[in-house]
Amino acid sequence: MELIVLWDIDHTLIENAGVSKEIYAAAFSSLAGRTPMGPARTEGRTDRLIMRDMFLRDGLPVPEWPVIEAALARAGHDRLGDLRLRGTVLPGVHEVLKAASATSGWVSSVLTGNIAANAHVKLSAFGLDSLVDLSVGAYGADAELRPELVAVARERIQRLRGVPAEVPAVLVGDTPRDVEAALATDSGIVAVASGIHSPEELAAAGAHETLPDLSATEQVLGILESFASHAKRPRTSLDRPRTR
């Protein structure tokens, strides 16, 4: 059975231990000439929105996006060592990514608010970059809103991997914005409560499946396989999200 699996990165695959917010602050400071008035607001938002809002909040003109992206990439590169030292891979991630990448007919990639350069930094810091097909992922430079990233990933997967348009897609993420992106694009969603949002919050947002983390490899693969075997039908008022 064919399937597209799109993984979020921060708090789904890795714990960045605050390094992400340091990257945003450093990129902002390099362009504004001073530190930001407060930390970046992230929680599943794209880098385009995060950085734009930092400048607007501080009453500053927003630089052109290529300038911001370059500053973010420099800041991410400079903090690779910090990420390796302080960050961690979340439970079960190596195992489930390895299994998904080896499953015939599946394309396993990422859908993340990070720019591509920093997505690679975060995954390579823990040896995860070889376990996902990064060339067909969708990133924070590709669109402002997370639901728009689903179409970006689908187009790349169709064009570069020859996957038909009707193949189902499943998002795996830790925030209500991941759930929103899936529901808005008729994709499946497996929500993991490994970030700041509880299973109850994720289920209330409409997640089809919720898990505490990705540690139960066979269970995660079974849930993903269910989306491949039975393309997601439209939800009704009688449907109840399942929390495991």
Side-chain angles (χ1 to χ4, degrees):
M1 292 291 182
E2 290 185 295
L3 182 68
I4 297 167
V5 186
L6 299 171
W7 309 85
D8 175 50
I9 295 177
D10 292 299
H11 312 299
T12 298
L13 302 181
I14 71 163
E15 169 53 55
N16 65 62
V19 173
S20 271
K21 292 195 176 182
E22 294 170 11
I23 290 171
Y24 295 123
F28 178 94
S29 298
S30 71
L31 298 176
R34 62 171 177 81
T35 58
M37 295 172 63
R41 291 177 51 242
T42 53
E43 294 184 20
R45 299 160 82 235
T46 66
D47 280 0
R48 281 184 177 269
L49 280 181
I50 291 166
M51 291 300 295
R52 186 187 70 190
D53 287 359
M54 288 181 76
F55 281 93
L56 293 177
R57 179 190 61 190
D58 282 28
L60 298 175
V62 181
E64 294 294 322
W65 170 248
V67 176
I68 294 176
E69 185 174 12
L72 282 170
R74 287 193 299 271
H77 178 270
D78 290 346
R79 282 156 184 79
L80 175 59
D82 291 334
L83 191 59
R84 285 176 173 158
L85 181 65
R86 293 158 44 196
T88 56
V89 181
L90 289 171
V93 166
H94 272 114
E95 294 80 6
V96 78
L97 289 186
K98 186 175 181 180
S101 70
T103 301
S104 178
W106 289 15
V107 175
S108 179
S109 188
V110 296
L111 190 146
T112 174
N114 292 281
I115 62 170
N118 288 348
H120 183 265
V121 164
K122 290 178 177 182
L123 294 175
S124 65
F126 307 105
L128 301 177
D129 53 315
S130 63
L131 301 180
V132 285
D133 190 348
L134 291 176
S135 64
V136 295
Y139 303 94
D142 293 323
E144 286 195 351
L145 300 178
R146 205 171 189 94
E148 297 169 358
L149 297 180
V150 178
V152 172
R154 277 192 168 278
E155 188 278 330
R156 286 176 177 156
I157 290 166
Q158 290 171 33
R159 176 167 47 87
L160 298 176
R161 299 293 175 263
V163 173
E166 65 271 16
V167 170
V170 182
L171 278 59
V172 184
D174 67 290
T175 74
R177 283 192 171 87
D178 295 294
V179 179
E180 175 193 7
L183 298 182
T185 59
D186 200 34
S187 304
I189 174 67
V190 179
V192 287
S194 45
I196 65 172
H197 298 283
S198 69
E200 292 75 20
E201 287 179 281
L202 296 168
H208 304 137
E209 301 278 355
T210 62
L211 295 169
D213 55 36
L214 298 172
S215 59
T217 304
E218 293 304 319
Q219 182 184 23
V220 176
L221 293 175
I223 292 170
L224 294 174
E225 188 175 291
S226 72
F227 285 103
S229 302
H230 308 286
K232 186 180 75 64
R233 61 184 173 83
R235 291 173 57 78
T236 73
S237 61
L238 299 179
D239 289 329
R240 294 175 61 86
R242 287 182 286 179
T243 301
R244 299 170 184 248

